[in-house]
Amino acid sequence: MNVKKLGMVSSTVLVMTILVACGGNQKEEVSNQSTKQVKKETLAKKQELTIIETAEIPSMDTALNVDGVSSIVMNNVFEGLYRATKDGEVELGMASEEPTISKDGLTYTFKLKKEATWSNGDPVTANDFVYAWKKTVDPASGAAFAYLFEGVLANATEIQKGEKSIEELGVKALDDQTLEIQLVANVPYFKGLLTTPTFFPQNQKYVVEKGAQYSTTSESMIYNGPFTLTKWDGTGLTWVYQKKSNVLG
């Protein structure tokens, strides 16, 4: 899937052109008055979709995301505990099943899919969520969307005010596949929040290894979503989505 920035275009316009919809053999029925003819049409094996975007990608660090273009890209190459469907509903993403919720509605315990992996082969773990969320809420990061955690995750507001340590944020990895989340109150839109890039995971080992280079180009990142990002140099006007080989259903 190729993406190009469209110059001189209103920010409300998004043009999509299907180059090749699908491959293989397809039967097409053609009505001809009293007779019906059926012909076979062989389509190209290469399946490609070209999208015209409205701006460049400002950042691919989910903790620092603030704009619509980056959000679109992130939703294609990353995935959180839940994902949004085309009908606006919420379905399981990295979570293997619906969470266990405490009687007071404040503690959510999620089990992650054991087969979920990053594009470099590392498993997606509960600590990937803990690390990413703490990184976002940490006042030192200057994350604009850190406020989304305030009034939701336990101690997020106090941490932002400098009254508590980042280690006191209400999220914990009980083991590699078990994530515990402590809420401040019963939040009816909590599942919806978990579909947004701000709540996506990051592979701590990889991010630390890359340091300041992390997320500056498509080659300095790894991905856990349905696509990987390629041919993005951090400032270029084009980038490519490549289907991930082990996409989860």
Side-chain angles (χ1 to χ4, degrees), residues 31-134:
S31 296
N32 183 13
Q33 294 181 351
S34 60
T35 63
K36 182 174 290 187
Q37 300 174 338
V38 178
K39 65 177 181 179
K40 291 183 178 180
E41 181 178 298
T42 302
L43 302 179
K45 292 182 179 180
K46 185 176 182 180
Q47 303 175 43
E48 189 173 86
L49 174 68
T50 296
I51 301 175
I52 304 302
E53 259 298 357
T54 59
E56 301 172 40
I57 302 173
S59 173
M60 279 301 293
D61 188 331
T62 56
L64 303 178
N65 175 51
V66 294
D67 73 287
V69 173
S70 295
S71 294
I72 291 172
V73 180
M74 290 174 184
N75 273 290
N76 280 305
V77 298
F78 299 122
E79 188 165 88
L81 294 168
Y82 288 97
R83 57 178 172 242
T85 70
K86 64 180 181 179
D87 301 317
E89 300 297 325
V90 172
E91 65 182 14
L92 295 173
M94 289 291 101
S96 62
E97 58 190 32
E98 291 295 334
T100 299
I101 305 174
S102 60
K103 290 183 178 180
D104 62 7
L106 300 182
T107 303
Y108 283 62
T109 304
F110 284 93
K111 287 290 186 180
L112 304 185
K113 293 176 178 176
K114 293 182 179 180
E115 67 273 23
T117 62
W118 293 93
S119 53
N120 68 343
D122 286 355
V124 177
T125 69
N127 185 67
D128 295 334
F129 288 90
V130 175
Y131 170 72
W133 294 7
K134 286 183 176 180

Side-chain angles (χ1 to χ4, degrees), residues 125-170:
T125 69
N127 185 67
D128 295 334
F129 288 90
V130 175
Y131 170 72
W133 294 7
K134 286 183 176 180
K135 176 181 174 181
T136 303
V137 175
D138 189 343
S141 71
F145 283 177
Y147 74 88
L148 292 176
F149 289 86
E150 296 181 15
V152 179
L153 256 66
N155 299 323
T157 300
E158 292 80 1
I159 293 168
Q160 281 286 293
K161 292 179 179 179
E163 298 172 356
K164 289 191 175 183
S165 163
I166 187 63
E167 297 307 318
E168 297 180 80
L169 186 65

Side-chain angles (χ1 to χ4, degrees), residues 210-223:
K210 288 298 180 181
Q213 295 302 309
Y214 175 70
S215 76
T216 57
T217 69
S218 56
E219 300 304 315
S220 62
M221 302 173 62
I222 54 176
Y223 314 93

